[in-house]
Amino acid sequence: MAFLRAAVDRFCREVADLAPAVRLRRLAELRAMLDEVTDAALMVAMADARGEGWGLRKIGTSAGILGDANAGSSLE
């Protein structure tokens, strides 16, 4: 994770001197690309977890979709 964070930090520093319109566009492109890649990986991981018999609550909690299962969720 540290490697990825460093790469994203480096990218952000590299675009810091660009004109605001260009910088905003580059950052939006970065965010969209990260969302696309991580969403696809999350879907595969969730399907694999379901295939291993995980319940939806455990999958949601592990994926960060649900809060802590002990926090009084309305799904109790």
Side-chain angles (χ1 to χ4, degrees), residues 36-50 59 63 65:
E36 181 181 330
V37 171
T38 56
D39 285 351
L42 276 170
M43 295 301 288
V44 171
M46 286 189 273
D48 290 346
R50 192 70 174 145
I59 292 170
I65 296 169

Side-chain angles (χ1 to χ4, degrees), residues 22-42:
V22 176
R23 184 173 20 159
L24 288 167
R25 188 169 46 251
R26 295 288 189 264
L27 292 170
E29 290 169 357
L30 172 64
R31 175 180 275 175
M33 182 272 307
L34 289 172
D35 285 347
E36 181 181 330
V37 171
T38 56
D39 285 351
L42 276 170

Side-chain angles (χ1 to χ4, degrees), residues 55-67:
L56 295 177
R57 183 183 312 273
K58 182 176 179 180
I59 292 170
T61 301
S62 296
I65 296 169
L66 298 176

